[in-house]
Structures are given as structure tokens and as C-alpha cells.
Amino acid sequence: MEDIDAIAALQDPVRRRLYEYVAAQGREVGRNEAAEAAGVARTLAAHHLDRLAEAGLLESGSRRLTGRSGPGAGRPAKVYTRARTERSVSLPARDYRTAAELLAEAAEQAGLDAGLCAAARRRGEALRGSAAPCGGLEEAMEMLAVRGYEPHVEGAEGATGPTGGSTGPTGAAERVVRMRNCPFHAVAERFPPLVCGMNLALLEGLLGADGPVRARMDARPGECCVVVEDSKNNDD
């Protein structure tokens, strides 16, 4: 019932907008910023943000938003980030996570990595259907968002490249799409090589191997282990 109560907290439209904004940032968010993003007064935003923290959907802390310390730096402000705890509801009760972990354990022990990746690639191709390979990073981000990966262009804020990515050896901006959420996170934590390899193969099939984008491994704590980029970035 705890998960049901937590998810029910998102029924309020303002509260849901605030949660979605904080979750999408991938960093700490202050009350003023959240209120402006949701189009509500700061006091109302503070009320709903605290309710979300009480429900376990957000985590709260405090820090000086000015970036300064010492006298004159101002008092610490309350900030929020998305909670690391997963929430799910199934009526009647189901336990697919345990089944997934048992299957992953058996596959790992039997050395079935290659077979699993082949099956994942076929599933990705089936999900894409008769459509051509993904046509570019914008299209890739739409496809990834639908599947819950929460994609974002690395360096969108304070980027070193002119188009919101990192700058490569030629001076051109290399746009890299990273994903704040891994849909297989719980199982990937226990069986990272197996599940991350499966995830990569799935996205290779979904995006298409012969298009202008490609998926590759580039693990980073707190994010999906796969990134998507322009395939020409690494052409020889």
C-alpha cells in the first residue's frame, strides 16, 4: 500500500508538474526554480515539494544556491532531487523482478550472453518494425523517451560545444545523448555485464545499425550505461 500512496500523491496536477520538472533535471532544484518552471507561487511550490518528499518521491536537502561560503553567502536553501527508490503498483500482486533476476542469474551462469544479446537485438528490430533506421538524434530521443530512458543531450547547460555537446578533436561539437533512467536498473545492478550488454543490443536493434546514429557503452554512475551519438563522430 505504501507504493500506492506514494503514486497517488502525483494525482494533483501541480504536484505532478513539480515532480516531473525535478526528475528531469538530474540535479538539485531549489524552490524558486521549481515554482517558476511549474508556473505557481513559491509558497505553493514549497508545500507540494515537501509533500512529494514526505511521500518518498523526492529527496530534500539544503545548500547555498549562490555557490559562495562564509559571511554574506546567505542562508542555505532547501533543494530537491528525485528519490532513488523505485515505486511500482500491480493489482493483483506480481513479482516480475524476481523472475527477471532468476533468469539473468541462470543466463549468466550458463554463459548465454551472446544468445541474450542476439534475442535483444531481434526484439529491438521488431519494436522498430518496418520503419527505416533512426534518422537522427532528435528522432532517437523521441524513441528513447517513449521507452522511459529519459534522454538528454550532454552539455545542454554550460556546454563546451556550440550545439550543446562536447567538442571533439576537429573542433566540431559531438552531440551525445545520455539517459537519466535505465528501465532495467534493478536487474542491471545485480548483473551489470549481462544486462547492460542486453540493453545495448536492444537499442542497436531499435535504432538500426545502418543509420546516422549509433549506440555504444559509456557507463556513468546514476545513468543508463548506454549512450547514443552521431555515428560519424567515430568514423575512421
Side-chain angles (χ1 to χ4, degrees), residues 2-3 5-7 9 15 49-58 87:
E2 181 180 344
D3 282 358
D5 293 339
I7 293 172
R15 200 171 299 160
L49 289 167
D50 285 340
R51 288 289 303 274
L52 289 166
E54 290 169 6
L57 295 171
L58 296 181
R87 302 288 182 178

Side-chain angles (χ1 to χ4, degrees), residues 114-129 198 201-206:
L116 177 61
C117 287
R121 193 171 288 106
R122 290 194 299 271
R123 174 58 65 91
E125 292 169 351
L127 290 170
R128 179 162 50 89
M198 177 200 75
L202 177 70
L203 293 182
E204 287 174 340
L206 180 66

